[in-house]
Amino acid sequence: MKVSVNSKEVETDATTLAQLIEELSLPTQGIAVAVDNCMVPRVQWSTYTLREFLSIIIIKATCGG
């Protein structure tokens, strides 16, 4: 299926948000995820079912100023 991750089209076999994060080799800590402009709590990632054409924003925490 195709989804948008940070405004880039991504082809994925993942069926859940947790699987997508793993597929993209992202850390499970230090990131926040929003789907269609709604934040998804980390505890829901493994049960959040992906659908074609979702818009996903992944924000990585950084240190510095």
Side-chain angles (χ1 to χ4, degrees), residues 5-63:
V5 177
N6 292 355
S7 301
K8 294 181 183 173
E9 188 175 280
V10 173
E11 183 78 31
T12 183
D13 291 324
T15 57
T16 67
L17 196 51
Q19 290 173 347
L20 178 65
I21 290 166
E22 183 177 332
E23 188 177 291
L24 296 174
S25 300
L26 295 170
T28 56
Q29 298 296 318
I31 63 172
V33 180
V35 178
D36 289 340
N37 295 318
C38 293
M39 294 299 296
V40 179
R42 186 179 323 277
V43 296
Q44 293 180 6
W45 291 359
S46 62
T47 58
Y48 193 98
T49 304
L50 298 179
R51 297 183 323 272
E52 189 94 25
F53 306 118
L54 284 176
S55 176
I56 301 166
I57 301 294
I58 300 173
I59 302 167
K60 297 179 187 178
T62 58
C63 296

